[in-house]
Amino acid sequence: MSSSTSVNTAPAPMTGGLLALTAIALALGTFMQVLDSTIANVSIPTIAGDLGVSTSQGTWVITSFAVANGISVPLTGWLMGRYGVVKTFTAAVVLFTIASFLCGVAWDINSLIFFRILQGAVSGPMIPGSQALLMMIFPPNKRGTALAIWSMTTLVAPICGPIFGGWISDNMTWPWIFFINVPVGAFCAFFCWRGMSDRETPTFQRPIDRTGFALLVVWVGALQVMLDTGKEADWFNSPAIVVETIIAIIGFIAWVIWELNDKNPMVDLSFFKTRNFAFGTLILCIAYAIFFGANLLMPLWLQTNMGYIATWAGLAAAPSGAVAVIMTPFAARLLNKYDARILGSVSLLLFALSFYMRSLFTTDASFFVLTLPMLVMGAAMSMFFISFISIGLNGIPPQRVPAASGLSNFARIIAGSFAASLVTTLWERSETQHQTRLAEVMGGPGNPGGSGGGGGLSDAMTNALNQASEHGLTTAQGIGVIMRQVSSQAFLLATVDLFRISSIIIVLLVPFVWLCRKTLVQGPVTHAAD
């Protein structure tokens, strides 16, 4: 079945200035892709307001990119085998750059979402491609440096995303969060092709699982549409939501059956027969979904209820990435000495602590109080990814690691997109419930707690109106101020509820870590067949 090989022997590693320039270009490819998954987070209120849609509709800008990227990731292996790693990566960067420009010139929310889908769809090969090419151009004794460059860019980008997005939203116009990719993408594509066009990897004909891919698009698309439109459509009271749910369930079942029985499946689900991969991926996905949802919720709450501008909302989240970058080399050394399950458990407990600290927020929390839990989050991040990637891939034969890594990454991306869809719904529903309870406490006609014996206002409401009157406000103005405070408190309670629930779920994941086999990175490899 083999047809052609671009290169039959591995070329010599690069040296000198060419190596440095090409490595920078490859790192920028990773940086751009990761940046675009986070840069829009703090800009959602600005984008939604400018395009005349609700904030919940604006979150489609995030979820559409994440889902399209998740669907495209499983195709990466086939594309690189068919066309070569260099061609596939360079083409992905060029198409990503074009899609970024189109996002910047989008004229309404529908066009922006369409271009974000395009952007996500073509970006699938960028992260695995940059990693593979960095390993290829560095000499064997410097491949640790290659991996360090790759991992650092994946950690630096989430730091810069909220900051860049916030600063651009406050000082320029939101399209520039996409336009900045154009010169970076052009630089990356030009120097990658210039430095590596003669280093193409072997290519060969491989059948593509069209049915599996079509089923994947159907069930992921139906589920995502259901999640993102359910709130506006009153969930299962809407026939459309019911139909989308049925399509998603049937499509998923059909996809699983097809992939398990096809001779050349697009996604090899047999990896889940391995205990470490199954539990490692499960924990990775659940914890990442909670992490992703919290990263979306935090800037939304700060901007809509705490009076933060987008720049400062981004800066409040930045410490987690900074700490992760600093601590990752130390975490890697610990992983070489200790069982990965220990570091994984510690990372989960630190995540839980960070969420618990955020569940203690108040409406007058200072910037320092808001950022302190993010420092703990950064320490958790430094150990989390390397631990559970090591656990999940433990015992997987080297030739199957790329496929296993692609499946794990696919599951993680989909989990993050679902979290982005669900978190705003849960947040707003919880806020409505809290606002109703607070309004009942404040009193009204027939309120048994009222000082008027059942027909008046509560003592709390009366005292609040008296205080407003003492500050020179009329009754109507006083009620307006009080109701704004009630709304602010309701959003606060909804926010801390979600953080507290997140903390509990993370703690409950810890026992599952110890259902995995012992994982020593430099020790003997555990047999994969459990």
PDB file of all heavy atoms in Angstrom, residues 209 212 252-273 407:
ATOM      1  N   ASP A 209     -11.210   6.727   7.491  1.00  0.00           N
ATOM      2  CA  ASP A 209     -12.484   6.201   8.004  1.00  0.00           C
ATOM      3  C   ASP A 209     -13.561   7.285   7.861  1.00  0.00           C
ATOM      4  O   ASP A 209     -13.868   8.008   8.800  1.00  0.00           O
ATOM      5  CB  ASP A 209     -12.288   5.788   9.472  1.00  0.00           C
ATOM      6  CG  ASP A 209     -13.572   5.264  10.107  1.00  0.00           C
ATOM      7  OD1 ASP A 209     -14.510   4.945   9.349  1.00  0.00           O
ATOM      8  OD2 ASP A 209     -13.623   5.193  11.340  1.00  0.00           O
ATOM      9  N   GLY A 212     -16.695   6.780  10.175  1.00  0.00           N
ATOM     10  CA  GLY A 212     -16.398   7.129  11.560  1.00  0.00           C
ATOM     11  C   GLY A 212     -16.306   8.623  11.762  1.00  0.00           C
ATOM     12  O   GLY A 212     -16.806   9.166  12.754  1.00  0.00           O
ATOM     13  N   PHE A 252     -23.527   8.813  18.984  1.00  0.00           N
ATOM     14  CA  PHE A 252     -22.394   8.375  19.802  1.00  0.00           C
ATOM     15  C   PHE A 252     -22.327   6.855  19.870  1.00  0.00           C
ATOM     16  O   PHE A 252     -21.244   6.258  19.702  1.00  0.00           O
ATOM     17  CB  PHE A 252     -22.516   8.958  21.210  1.00  0.00           C
ATOM     18  CG  PHE A 252     -21.478   8.458  22.169  1.00  0.00           C
ATOM     19  CD1 PHE A 252     -20.172   8.894  22.087  1.00  0.00           C
ATOM     20  CD2 PHE A 252     -21.807   7.514  23.136  1.00  0.00           C
ATOM     21  CE1 PHE A 252     -19.204   8.427  22.961  1.00  0.00           C
ATOM     22  CE2 PHE A 252     -20.849   7.043  24.014  1.00  0.00           C
ATOM     23  CZ  PHE A 252     -19.543   7.497  23.929  1.00  0.00           C
ATOM     24  N   ILE A 253     -23.472   6.208  20.105  1.00  0.00           N
ATOM     25  CA  ILE A 253     -23.498   4.743  20.182  1.00  0.00           C
ATOM     26  C   ILE A 253     -23.062   4.127  18.854  1.00  0.00           C
ATOM     27  O   ILE A 253     -22.247   3.186  18.811  1.00  0.00           O
ATOM     28  CB  ILE A 253     -24.906   4.250  20.577  1.00  0.00           C
ATOM     29  CG1 ILE A 253     -25.243   4.709  22.011  1.00  0.00           C
ATOM     30  CG2 ILE A 253     -24.991   2.735  20.473  1.00  0.00           C
ATOM     31  CD1 ILE A 253     -26.668   4.425  22.418  1.00  0.00           C
ATOM     32  N   ALA A 254     -23.594   4.680  17.750  1.00  0.00           N
ATOM     33  CA  ALA A 254     -23.225   4.154  16.429  1.00  0.00           C
ATOM     34  C   ALA A 254     -21.742   4.363  16.161  1.00  0.00           C
ATOM     35  O   ALA A 254     -21.064   3.488  15.589  1.00  0.00           O
ATOM     36  CB  ALA A 254     -24.065   4.843  15.349  1.00  0.00           C
ATOM     37  N   TRP A 255     -21.207   5.514  16.576  1.00  0.00           N
ATOM     38  CA  TRP A 255     -19.784   5.813  16.372  1.00  0.00           C
ATOM     39  C   TRP A 255     -18.905   4.834  17.137  1.00  0.00           C
ATOM     40  O   TRP A 255     -17.919   4.319  16.593  1.00  0.00           O
ATOM     41  CB  TRP A 255     -19.516   7.252  16.822  1.00  0.00           C
ATOM     42  CG  TRP A 255     -18.084   7.667  16.756  1.00  0.00           C
ATOM     43  CD1 TRP A 255     -17.365   7.942  15.637  1.00  0.00           C
ATOM     44  CD2 TRP A 255     -17.199   7.867  17.864  1.00  0.00           C
ATOM     45  NE1 TRP A 255     -16.072   8.315  15.984  1.00  0.00           N
ATOM     46  CE2 TRP A 255     -15.949   8.275  17.336  1.00  0.00           C
ATOM     47  CE3 TRP A 255     -17.340   7.757  19.240  1.00  0.00           C
ATOM     48  CZ2 TRP A 255     -14.863   8.550  18.150  1.00  0.00           C
ATOM     49  CZ3 TRP A 255     -16.252   8.028  20.056  1.00  0.00           C
ATOM     50  CH2 TRP A 255     -15.029   8.427  19.511  1.00  0.00           C
ATOM     51  N   VAL A 256     -19.264   4.561  18.389  1.00  0.00           N
ATOM     52  CA  VAL A 256     -18.479   3.623  19.201  1.00  0.00           C
ATOM     53  C   VAL A 256     -18.486   2.233  18.571  1.00  0.00           C
ATOM     54  O   VAL A 256     -17.442   1.574  18.448  1.00  0.00           O
ATOM     55  CB  VAL A 256     -19.018   3.577  20.645  1.00  0.00           C
ATOM     56  CG1 VAL A 256     -18.367   2.439  21.426  1.00  0.00           C
ATOM     57  CG2 VAL A 256     -18.764   4.901  21.359  1.00  0.00           C
ATOM     58  N   ILE A 257     -19.675   1.782  18.179  1.00  0.00           N
ATOM     59  CA  ILE A 257     -19.783   0.445  17.568  1.00  0.00           C
ATOM     60  C   ILE A 257     -18.948   0.376  16.287  1.00  0.00           C
ATOM     61  O   ILE A 257     -18.224  -0.596  16.040  1.00  0.00           O
ATOM     62  CB  ILE A 257     -21.255   0.113  17.275  1.00  0.00           C
ATOM     63  CG1 ILE A 257     -22.029  -0.032  18.605  1.00  0.00           C
ATOM     64  CG2 ILE A 257     -21.366  -1.169  16.453  1.00  0.00           C
ATOM     65  CD1 ILE A 257     -23.524  -0.195  18.428  1.00  0.00           C
ATOM     66  N   TRP A 258     -19.044   1.420  15.464  1.00  0.00           N
ATOM     67  CA  TRP A 258     -18.299   1.423  14.191  1.00  0.00           C
ATOM     68  C   TRP A 258     -16.793   1.426  14.442  1.00  0.00           C
ATOM     69  O   TRP A 258     -16.050   0.647  13.817  1.00  0.00           O
ATOM     70  CB  TRP A 258     -18.702   2.645  13.364  1.00  0.00           C
ATOM     71  CG  TRP A 258     -17.949   2.723  12.066  1.00  0.00           C
ATOM     72  CD1 TRP A 258     -16.764   3.355  11.830  1.00  0.00           C
ATOM     73  CD2 TRP A 258     -18.323   2.123  10.825  1.00  0.00           C
ATOM     74  NE1 TRP A 258     -16.366   3.198  10.529  1.00  0.00           N
ATOM     75  CE2 TRP A 258     -17.305   2.438   9.880  1.00  0.00           C
ATOM     76  CE3 TRP A 258     -19.407   1.345  10.411  1.00  0.00           C
ATOM     77  CZ2 TRP A 258     -17.360   2.005   8.566  1.00  0.00           C
ATOM     78  CZ3 TRP A 258     -19.466   0.918   9.091  1.00  0.00           C
ATOM     79  CH2 TRP A 258     -18.452   1.247   8.191  1.00  0.00           C
ATOM     80  N   GLU A 259     -16.337   2.290  15.332  1.00  0.00           N
ATOM     81  CA  GLU A 259     -14.891   2.401  15.566  1.00  0.00           C
ATOM     82  C   GLU A 259     -14.310   1.128  16.172  1.00  0.00           C
ATOM     83  O   GLU A 259     -13.145   0.783  15.926  1.00  0.00           O
ATOM     84  CB  GLU A 259     -14.605   3.590  16.495  1.00  0.00           C
ATOM     85  CG  GLU A 259     -14.953   4.949  15.906  1.00  0.00           C
ATOM     86  CD  GLU A 259     -14.119   5.285  14.691  1.00  0.00           C
ATOM     87  OE1 GLU A 259     -14.526   4.919  13.561  1.00  0.00           O
ATOM     88  OE2 GLU A 259     -13.060   5.898  14.850  1.00  0.00           O
ATOM     89  N   LEU A 260     -15.094   0.416  16.988  1.00  0.00           N
ATOM     90  CA  LEU A 260     -14.607  -0.818  17.598  1.00  0.00           C
ATOM     91  C   LEU A 260     -14.526  -1.966  16.603  1.00  0.00           C
ATOM     92  O   LEU A 260     -13.821  -2.945  16.838  1.00  0.00           O
ATOM     93  CB  LEU A 260     -15.511  -1.215  18.777  1.00  0.00           C
ATOM     94  CG  LEU A 260     -15.423  -0.333  20.024  1.00  0.00           C
ATOM     95  CD1 LEU A 260     -16.452  -0.777  21.058  1.00  0.00           C
ATOM     96  CD2 LEU A 260     -14.024  -0.362  20.629  1.00  0.00           C
ATOM     97  N   ASN A 261     -15.253  -1.862  15.493  1.00  0.00           N
ATOM     98  CA  ASN A 261     -15.311  -2.970  14.539  1.00  0.00           C
ATOM     99  C   ASN A 261     -14.651  -2.675  13.196  1.00  0.00           C
ATOM    100  O   ASN A 261     -14.422  -3.600  12.424  1.00  0.00           O
ATOM    101  CB  ASN A 261     -16.780  -3.372  14.292  1.00  0.00           C
ATOM    102  CG  ASN A 261     -17.411  -4.028  15.508  1.00  0.00           C
ATOM    103  OD1 ASN A 261     -17.227  -5.211  15.761  1.00  0.00           O
ATOM    104  ND2 ASN A 261     -18.162  -3.253  16.272  1.00  0.00           N
ATOM    105  N   ASP A 262     -14.331  -1.413  12.916  1.00  0.00           N
ATOM    106  CA  ASP A 262     -13.714  -1.066  11.639  1.00  0.00           C
ATOM    107  C   ASP A 262     -12.247  -1.498  11.622  1.00  0.00           C
ATOM    108  O   ASP A 262     -11.547  -1.433  12.639  1.00  0.00           O
ATOM    109  CB  ASP A 262     -13.814   0.448  11.400  1.00  0.00           C
ATOM    110  CG  ASP A 262     -13.411   0.827   9.993  1.00  0.00           C
ATOM    111  OD1 ASP A 262     -14.115   0.425   9.051  1.00  0.00           O
ATOM    112  OD2 ASP A 262     -12.389   1.520   9.843  1.00  0.00           O
ATOM    113  N   LYS A 263     -11.771  -1.945  10.448  1.00  0.00           N
ATOM    114  CA  LYS A 263     -10.382  -2.389  10.340  1.00  0.00           C
ATOM    115  C   LYS A 263      -9.394  -1.232  10.441  1.00  0.00           C
ATOM    116  O   LYS A 263      -8.266  -1.401  10.899  1.00  0.00           O
ATOM    117  CB  LYS A 263     -10.182  -3.133   9.009  1.00  0.00           C
ATOM    118  CG  LYS A 263     -10.929  -4.455   8.922  1.00  0.00           C
ATOM    119  CD  LYS A 263     -10.652  -5.145   7.595  1.00  0.00           C
ATOM    120  CE  LYS A 263     -11.379  -6.482   7.513  1.00  0.00           C
ATOM    121  NZ  LYS A 263     -11.151  -7.170   6.215  1.00  0.00           N
ATOM    122  N   ASN A 264      -9.787  -0.063   9.976  1.00  0.00           N
ATOM    123  CA  ASN A 264      -8.918   1.120  10.030  1.00  0.00           C
ATOM    124  C   ASN A 264      -9.676   2.275  10.696  1.00  0.00           C
ATOM    125  O   ASN A 264     -10.046   3.249  10.040  1.00  0.00           O
ATOM    126  CB  ASN A 264      -8.480   1.529   8.619  1.00  0.00           C
ATOM    127  CG  ASN A 264      -7.628   0.460   7.948  1.00  0.00           C
ATOM    128  OD1 ASN A 264      -6.474   0.261   8.315  1.00  0.00           O
ATOM    129  ND2 ASN A 264      -8.214  -0.221   6.978  1.00  0.00           N
ATOM    130  N   PRO A 265      -9.932   2.153  11.985  1.00  0.00           N
ATOM    131  CA  PRO A 265     -10.735   3.196  12.659  1.00  0.00           C
ATOM    132  C   PRO A 265      -9.997   4.524  12.714  1.00  0.00           C
ATOM    133  O   PRO A 265      -8.772   4.561  12.858  1.00  0.00           O
ATOM    134  CB  PRO A 265     -10.947   2.619  14.060  1.00  0.00           C
ATOM    135  CG  PRO A 265      -9.766   1.726  14.290  1.00  0.00           C
ATOM    136  CD  PRO A 265      -9.474   1.132  12.935  1.00  0.00           C
ATOM    137  N   MET A 266     -10.756   5.590  12.590  1.00  0.00           N
ATOM    138  CA  MET A 266     -10.152   6.913  12.709  1.00  0.00           C
ATOM    139  C   MET A 266      -9.675   7.138  14.144  1.00  0.00           C
ATOM    140  O   MET A 266      -8.634   7.745  14.377  1.00  0.00           O
ATOM    141  CB  MET A 266     -11.179   7.985  12.335  1.00  0.00           C
ATOM    142  CG  MET A 266     -10.646   9.408  12.386  1.00  0.00           C
ATOM    143  SD  MET A 266     -11.962  10.605  12.112  1.00  0.00           S
ATOM    144  CE  MET A 266     -12.935  10.357  13.601  1.00  0.00           C
ATOM    145  N   VAL A 267     -10.456   6.656  15.110  1.00  0.00           N
ATOM    146  CA  VAL A 267     -10.103   6.760  16.525  1.00  0.00           C
ATOM    147  C   VAL A 267     -10.056   5.354  17.100  1.00  0.00           C
ATOM    148  O   VAL A 267     -11.068   4.645  17.106  1.00  0.00           O
ATOM    149  CB  VAL A 267     -11.123   7.619  17.303  1.00  0.00           C
ATOM    150  CG1 VAL A 267     -10.720   7.721  18.768  1.00  0.00           C
ATOM    151  CG2 VAL A 267     -11.256   9.003  16.684  1.00  0.00           C
ATOM    152  N   ASP A 268      -8.887   4.948  17.581  1.00  0.00           N
ATOM    153  CA  ASP A 268      -8.703   3.595  18.117  1.00  0.00           C
ATOM    154  C   ASP A 268      -9.167   3.563  19.573  1.00  0.00           C
ATOM    155  O   ASP A 268      -8.425   3.929  20.488  1.00  0.00           O
ATOM    156  CB  ASP A 268      -7.233   3.188  18.002  1.00  0.00           C
ATOM    157  CG  ASP A 268      -7.015   1.733  18.384  1.00  0.00           C
ATOM    158  OD1 ASP A 268      -7.994   1.065  18.783  1.00  0.00           O
ATOM    159  OD2 ASP A 268      -5.868   1.262  18.285  1.00  0.00           O
ATOM    160  N   LEU A 269     -10.398   3.119  19.781  1.00  0.00           N
ATOM    161  CA  LEU A 269     -10.967   3.101  21.129  1.00  0.00           C
ATOM    162  C   LEU A 269     -10.464   1.938  21.973  1.00  0.00           C
ATOM    163  O   LEU A 269     -10.781   1.860  23.162  1.00  0.00           O
ATOM    164  CB  LEU A 269     -12.506   3.042  21.043  1.00  0.00           C
ATOM    165  CG  LEU A 269     -13.180   4.222  20.330  1.00  0.00           C
ATOM    166  CD1 LEU A 269     -14.687   4.010  20.293  1.00  0.00           C
ATOM    167  CD2 LEU A 269     -12.852   5.526  21.036  1.00  0.00           C
ATOM    168  N   SER A 270      -9.696   1.026  21.375  1.00  0.00           N
ATOM    169  CA  SER A 270      -9.191  -0.115  22.149  1.00  0.00           C
ATOM    170  C   SER A 270      -8.230   0.315  23.243  1.00  0.00           C
ATOM    171  O   SER A 270      -7.949  -0.454  24.169  1.00  0.00           O
ATOM    172  CB  SER A 270      -8.491  -1.115  21.219  1.00  0.00           C
ATOM    173  OG  SER A 270      -7.317  -0.551  20.649  1.00  0.00           O
ATOM    174  N   PHE A 271      -7.722   1.566  23.174  1.00  0.00           N
ATOM    175  CA  PHE A 271      -6.844   2.053  24.240  1.00  0.00           C
ATOM    176  C   PHE A 271      -7.546   2.038  25.596  1.00  0.00           C
ATOM    177  O   PHE A 271      -6.902   1.912  26.632  1.00  0.00           O
ATOM    178  CB  PHE A 271      -6.363   3.475  23.927  1.00  0.00           C
ATOM    179  CG  PHE A 271      -5.354   3.549  22.824  1.00  0.00           C
ATOM    180  CD1 PHE A 271      -5.658   4.166  21.625  1.00  0.00           C
ATOM    181  CD2 PHE A 271      -4.088   2.998  22.982  1.00  0.00           C
ATOM    182  CE1 PHE A 271      -4.727   4.239  20.598  1.00  0.00           C
ATOM    183  CE2 PHE A 271      -3.143   3.066  21.966  1.00  0.00           C
ATOM    184  CZ  PHE A 271      -3.469   3.688  20.766  1.00  0.00           C
ATOM    185  N   PHE A 272      -8.860   2.190  25.579  1.00  0.00           N
ATOM    186  CA  PHE A 272      -9.604   2.243  26.837  1.00  0.00           C
ATOM    187  C   PHE A 272      -9.662   0.890  27.540  1.00  0.00           C
ATOM    188  O   PHE A 272     -10.138   0.800  28.666  1.00  0.00           O
ATOM    189  CB  PHE A 272     -11.019   2.769  26.600  1.00  0.00           C
ATOM    190  CG  PHE A 272     -11.059   4.261  26.366  1.00  0.00           C
ATOM    191  CD1 PHE A 272     -11.278   4.773  25.100  1.00  0.00           C
ATOM    192  CD2 PHE A 272     -10.866   5.146  27.422  1.00  0.00           C
ATOM    193  CE1 PHE A 272     -11.314   6.141  24.876  1.00  0.00           C
ATOM    194  CE2 PHE A 272     -10.893   6.511  27.213  1.00  0.00           C
ATOM    195  CZ  PHE A 272     -11.115   7.010  25.939  1.00  0.00           C
ATOM    196  N   LYS A 273      -9.183  -0.178  26.875  1.00  0.00           N
ATOM    197  CA  LYS A 273      -9.088  -1.472  27.549  1.00  0.00           C
ATOM    198  C   LYS A 273      -7.939  -1.484  28.548  1.00  0.00           C
ATOM    199  O   LYS A 273      -7.879  -2.351  29.420  1.00  0.00           O
ATOM    200  CB  LYS A 273      -8.888  -2.578  26.512  1.00  0.00           C
ATOM    201  CG  LYS A 273     -10.067  -2.755  25.565  1.00  0.00           C
ATOM    202  CD  LYS A 273      -9.773  -3.840  24.535  1.00  0.00           C
ATOM    203  CE  LYS A 273     -10.936  -4.009  23.557  1.00  0.00           C
ATOM    204  NZ  LYS A 273     -10.656  -5.043  22.526  1.00  0.00           N
ATOM    205  N   LEU A 407      -5.979  10.557  20.996  1.00  0.00           N
ATOM    206  CA  LEU A 407      -7.278  10.226  21.573  1.00  0.00           C
ATOM    207  C   LEU A 407      -7.478  10.923  22.916  1.00  0.00           C
ATOM    208  O   LEU A 407      -8.547  11.470  23.201  1.00  0.00           O
ATOM    209  CB  LEU A 407      -7.397   8.706  21.743  1.00  0.00           C
ATOM    210  CG  LEU A 407      -8.681   8.195  22.412  1.00  0.00           C
ATOM    211  CD1 LEU A 407      -9.922   8.684  21.662  1.00  0.00           C
ATOM    212  CD2 LEU A 407      -8.656   6.665  22.493  1.00  0.00           C
TER     213      LEU A 407
END
